[in-house]
Short mmCIF file of all heavy atoms in Angstrom, two decimals:
data_model
loop_
_atom_site.label_atom_id
_atom_site.label_comp_id
_atom_site.label_asym_id
_atom_site.label_seq_id
_atom_site.Cartn_x
_atom_site.Cartn_y
_atom_site.Cartn_z
N MET A 177 105.87 66.03 70.05
CA MET A 177 106.01 66.63 71.38
C MET A 177 106.00 68.15 71.32
O MET A 177 105.76 68.83 72.32
CB MET A 177 107.29 66.16 72.05
CG MET A 177 107.39 64.65 72.29
SD MET A 177 106.03 63.99 73.33
CE MET A 177 105.05 63.10 72.09
N TYR A 178 106.26 68.69 70.14
CA TYR A 178 106.28 70.14 69.94
C TYR A 178 105.06 70.61 69.14
O TYR A 178 105.07 71.72 68.59
CB TYR A 178 107.57 70.55 69.23
CG TYR A 178 108.80 70.39 70.08
CD1 TYR A 178 109.42 69.16 70.22
CD2 TYR A 178 109.35 71.49 70.76
CE1 TYR A 178 110.55 68.99 71.01
CE2 TYR A 178 110.48 71.34 71.55
CZ TYR A 178 111.07 70.09 71.68
OH TYR A 178 112.20 69.94 72.47
N LEU A 232 116.97 68.82 73.20
CA LEU A 232 115.57 68.62 73.55
C LEU A 232 115.38 69.07 75.00
O LEU A 232 116.19 68.73 75.87
CB LEU A 232 115.18 67.14 73.43
CG LEU A 232 115.37 66.48 72.06
CD1 LEU A 232 114.88 65.03 72.11
CD2 LEU A 232 114.66 67.25 70.97
N GLU A 233 114.31 69.82 75.27
CA GLU A 233 114.03 70.29 76.62
C GLU A 233 113.62 69.12 77.52
O GLU A 233 113.02 68.15 77.05
CB GLU A 233 112.94 71.36 76.60
CG GLU A 233 113.34 72.66 75.94
CD GLU A 233 113.21 72.65 74.42
OE1 GLU A 233 112.88 71.58 73.85
OE2 GLU A 233 113.45 73.70 73.81
N SER A 234 113.93 69.23 78.79
CA SER A 234 113.67 68.13 79.74
C SER A 234 112.22 67.71 79.77
O SER A 234 111.91 66.51 79.83
CB SER A 234 114.12 68.55 81.15
OG SER A 234 115.51 68.74 81.19
N ASP A 235 111.29 68.68 79.74
CA ASP A 235 109.87 68.32 79.81
C ASP A 235 109.43 67.59 78.56
O ASP A 235 108.57 66.69 78.60
CB ASP A 235 109.00 69.56 80.06
CG ASP A 235 109.13 70.61 78.95
OD1 ASP A 235 110.22 70.73 78.35
OD2 ASP A 235 108.13 71.31 78.69
N LYS A 236 110.02 67.93 77.41
CA LYS A 236 109.68 67.24 76.17
C LYS A 236 110.24 65.82 76.18
O LYS A 236 109.59 64.88 75.69
CB LYS A 236 110.24 68.01 74.97
CG LYS A 236 109.75 69.46 74.87
CD LYS A 236 108.25 69.56 74.71
CE LYS A 236 107.82 71.00 74.49
NZ LYS A 236 106.34 71.15 74.41
N ILE A 237 111.43 65.66 76.73
CA ILE A 237 112.03 64.33 76.85
C ILE A 237 111.15 63.44 77.73
O ILE A 237 110.85 62.29 77.39
CB ILE A 237 113.45 64.42 77.43
CG1 ILE A 237 114.40 65.05 76.40
CG2 ILE A 237 113.96 63.04 77.85
CD1 ILE A 237 115.80 65.29 76.91
N ASP A 238 110.71 63.98 78.87
CA ASP A 238 109.87 63.22 79.79
C ASP A 238 108.55 62.82 79.13
O ASP A 238 108.09 61.68 79.29
CB ASP A 238 109.58 64.03 81.06
CG ASP A 238 110.83 64.23 81.91
OD1 ASP A 238 111.79 63.46 81.74
OD2 ASP A 238 110.83 65.17 82.74
N ALA A 239 107.95 63.74 78.38
CA ALA A 239 106.68 63.46 77.71
C ALA A 239 106.87 62.39 76.63
O ALA A 239 106.01 61.51 76.45
CB ALA A 239 106.12 64.74 77.10
N LEU A 240 107.98 62.47 75.91
CA LEU A 240 108.27 61.49 74.86
C LEU A 240 108.42 60.09 75.44
O LEU A 240 107.84 59.12 74.93
CB LEU A 240 109.55 61.89 74.12
CG LEU A 240 109.97 61.01 72.95
CD1 LEU A 240 109.01 61.17 71.78
CD2 LEU A 240 111.41 61.33 72.51
N ILE A 241 109.18 59.98 76.54
CA ILE A 241 109.42 58.68 77.16
C ILE A 241 108.13 58.11 77.76
O ILE A 241 107.90 56.90 77.72
CB ILE A 241 110.52 58.79 78.23
CG1 ILE A 241 111.86 59.12 77.55
CG2 ILE A 241 110.64 57.51 79.05
CD1 ILE A 241 112.98 59.45 78.51
N GLU A 242 107.30 58.99 78.30
CA GLU A 242 106.04 58.53 78.88
C GLU A 242 105.14 57.91 77.82
O GLU A 242 104.50 56.87 78.05
CB GLU A 242 105.31 59.69 79.56
CG GLU A 242 104.02 59.27 80.23
CD GLU A 242 103.34 60.41 80.97
OE1 GLU A 242 103.89 61.53 81.01
OE2 GLU A 242 102.23 60.18 81.51
N LYS A 243 105.11 58.52 76.63
CA LYS A 243 104.24 58.00 75.57
C LYS A 243 104.89 56.85 74.81
O LYS A 243 104.22 55.90 74.40
CB LYS A 243 103.87 59.12 74.60
CG LYS A 243 102.90 58.65 73.52
CD LYS A 243 102.23 59.79 72.79
CE LYS A 243 101.17 59.25 71.82
NZ LYS A 243 100.47 60.35 71.11
N TYR A 244 106.22 56.93 74.63
CA TYR A 244 106.94 55.91 73.86
C TYR A 244 108.08 55.38 74.73
O TYR A 244 109.23 55.86 74.64
CB TYR A 244 107.48 56.51 72.56
CG TYR A 244 106.42 57.13 71.68
CD1 TYR A 244 106.31 58.51 71.56
CD2 TYR A 244 105.52 56.33 70.98
CE1 TYR A 244 105.33 59.09 70.74
CE2 TYR A 244 104.54 56.89 70.17
CZ TYR A 244 104.45 58.27 70.06
OH TYR A 244 103.48 58.82 69.25
N PRO A 245 107.81 54.39 75.57
CA PRO A 245 108.78 53.96 76.59
C PRO A 245 110.04 53.28 76.08
O PRO A 245 110.93 52.98 76.88
CB PRO A 245 107.95 53.01 77.46
CG PRO A 245 106.80 52.58 76.63
CD PRO A 245 106.50 53.72 75.73
N TYR A 247 112.12 54.81 74.35
CA TYR A 247 113.15 55.85 74.38
C TYR A 247 113.77 55.93 75.78
O TYR A 247 113.15 55.56 76.78
CB TYR A 247 112.54 57.22 74.06
CG TYR A 247 112.20 57.44 72.60
CD1 TYR A 247 110.88 57.35 72.15
CD2 TYR A 247 113.19 57.76 71.67
CE1 TYR A 247 110.56 57.54 70.82
CE2 TYR A 247 112.88 57.96 70.34
CZ TYR A 247 111.57 57.85 69.92
OH TYR A 247 111.26 58.05 68.59
N ALA A 248 114.99 56.43 75.81
CA ALA A 248 115.69 56.66 77.08
C ALA A 248 116.46 57.97 76.98
O ALA A 248 116.85 58.39 75.88
CB ALA A 248 116.64 55.52 77.40
N LYS A 249 116.68 58.61 78.11
CA LYS A 249 117.48 59.84 78.11
C LYS A 249 118.90 59.50 77.70
O LYS A 249 119.44 58.45 78.06
CB LYS A 249 117.47 60.48 79.50
CG LYS A 249 116.11 61.01 79.93
CD LYS A 249 116.18 61.66 81.31
CE LYS A 249 114.80 62.19 81.73
NZ LYS A 249 114.85 62.82 83.07
N THR A 265 119.56 64.65 74.98
CA THR A 265 118.66 64.22 73.93
C THR A 265 118.07 62.87 74.34
O THR A 265 118.01 62.56 75.54
CB THR A 265 119.36 64.16 72.56
OG1 THR A 265 118.42 63.78 71.55
CG2 THR A 265 120.52 63.21 72.57
N VAL A 266 117.64 62.06 73.39
CA VAL A 266 117.09 60.74 73.69
C VAL A 266 117.72 59.71 72.75
O VAL A 266 118.36 60.06 71.76
CB VAL A 266 115.55 60.68 73.54
CG1 VAL A 266 114.88 61.52 74.62
CG2 VAL A 266 115.13 61.14 72.15
#
Side-chain angles (χ1 to χ4, degrees):
M177 299 301 107
Y178 290 82
L232 302 182
E233 292 83 355
S234 295
D235 61 328
K236 302 299 185 183
I237 290 175
D238 292 341
L240 182 70
I241 293 172
E242 182 177 357
K243 183 164 186 179
Y244 303 106
Y247 286 103
K249 293 181 180 180
T265 182
V266 292

